[in-house]
Amino acid sequence: MRVYDMIVDERRHSADLLSTLTPDQLRTPSLCQGWTVHDVAAHLTTLLRFGQAKLYIGIAATAADMDRVNLWLTRRAARRSDDEIIEVLRRRAGSRFTVPRSGYDPVLSDLVLHDLDIRIPLGIARDIPEYRLSVAFHHLTSRASPGFAMGSRLDGLRFTATDTGWDQGTGASVRGPAETLLLGIGGRVAVLDDLSGDGVPLLRQRLSSPQRAGALRRLAGPFGLLVRPLPRARRSRDSVAPVN
């Protein structure tokens, strides 16, 4: 299955899920610190509504401070009603938008992470297809798009998914089920107690007291992609999940 097709399916799944939630559920805090379920849903529409132009404006205005860019775009999108957000997700599910020079992997990774951000606090179960988790795991632990603001978070750590056997990195061990591991890699402090290994305290420290990169280091991310983009095979609309 192509990564692009997975993205279309995930957007439709998100719209279907959100349409079943009550107003109280939509105002529930998500796993994204400071964001409700409504805010996360709004975030999923930002690039569908604003496109690459607003993304470039945000990068230029903040010197590639992607946390600020995401907050700016999400606050604008969150002014929309729940029904409007759901309608955008459905109507534009087939959007071919990609992160510049990065392809579709970061788009799917974002959708998978935020699906977990929404469902776990609400206690809604779902078995995410393993190949979709695989795309997100390999993207975030190899050369993640600057939008994820990974910095040096994963340096010196080895991440092992105990249910799939995926293994990435070198150093102190961080182990757990693939979904939980992915959330820890993605910066969700709330799941760290569900991970094991001698690397968990270091990951917790980094997430609790993140080091703020300077403007030049932040700008190196997007400019680095312009000079050295991800391989063409990963940027193609015909790309598939990586072989584990």
Side-chain angles (χ1 to χ4, degrees):
M1 189 175 189
R2 298 183 305 175
V3 174
Y4 167 75
D5 296 322
M6 301 180 207
I7 290 169
V8 175
D9 190 59
E10 284 295 320
R11 286 185 180 131
R12 290 172 176 161
H13 163 78
S14 294
D16 289 344
L17 171 64
L18 292 165
S19 68
T20 68
L21 302 183
T22 66
D24 284 344
Q25 287 177 310
L26 287 160
R27 271 53 186 180
T28 298
S30 74
L31 291 185
C32 282
Q33 187 173 3
W35 283 6
T36 64
V37 168
H38 171 86
D39 294 331
V40 174
H43 168 75
L44 295 178
T45 71
T46 53
L47 298 182
L48 299 177
R49 291 188 56 233
F50 303 132
Q52 291 189 355
K54 285 287 194 303
L55 180 60
Y56 285 129
I57 290 171
I59 289 173
T62 65
D65 187 332
M66 300 310 298
D67 286 337
R68 287 176 59 196
V69 173
N70 279 325
L71 284 172
W72 172 54
L73 293 177
T74 298
R75 283 171 179 163
R76 294 189 60 180
R79 298 171 189 165
R80 300 270 179 156
S81 70
D82 300 318
D83 288 341
E84 288 175 303
I85 289 169
I86 292 167
E87 190 274 332
V88 170
L89 281 171
R90 281 212 176 99
R91 177 168 48 85
R92 304 210 58 194
S95 169
R96 298 182 182 181
F97 173 88
T98 63
V99 176
R101 310 286 276 177
S102 292
Y104 291 96
D105 289 0
V107 181
L108 180 63
S109 300
D110 196 56
L111 285 162
V112 168
L113 275 173
H114 290 313
D115 176 70
L116 293 165
D117 287 331
I118 289 171
R119 288 189 300 100
I120 289 178
L122 295 177
I124 299 173
R126 178 197 177 197
D127 289 327
I128 299 177
E130 185 175 308
Y131 50 85
R132 299 183 191 185
L133 293 171
S134 173
V135 171
F137 177 82
H138 287 90
H139 180 71
L140 293 177
T141 58
S142 55
R143 191 179 167 206
S145 168
F148 290 102
M150 300 295 285
S152 59
R153 181 187 305 164
L154 310 186
D155 291 357
L157 295 172
R158 178 179 179 178
F159 295 90
T160 304
T162 53
D163 50 351
T164 64
W166 302 331
D167 193 84
Q168 194 83 337
T170 58
S173 175
V174 180
R175 299 170 55 83
E179 291 187 4
T180 308
L181 191 66
L182 192 62
L183 286 166
I185 291 168
R188 280 52 169 183
V189 178
V191 305
L192 294 184
D193 287 341
D194 298 321
L195 298 174
S196 62
D198 57 349
V200 173
L202 178 57
L203 181 60
R204 186 187 302 275
Q205 179 185 353
R206 289 173 176 173
L207 294 180
S208 300
S209 303
Q211 293 185 344
R212 189 168 180 80
L216 290 178
R217 184 175 177 184
R218 293 198 305 268
L219 286 166
F223 280 112
L225 278 176
L226 293 176
V227 175
R228 190 169 65 92
L230 293 183
R232 187 176 296 275
R234 294 297 337 142
R235 290 183 281 131
S236 167
R237 195 156 64 96
D238 293 322
S239 67
V240 296
V243 178
N244 297 319

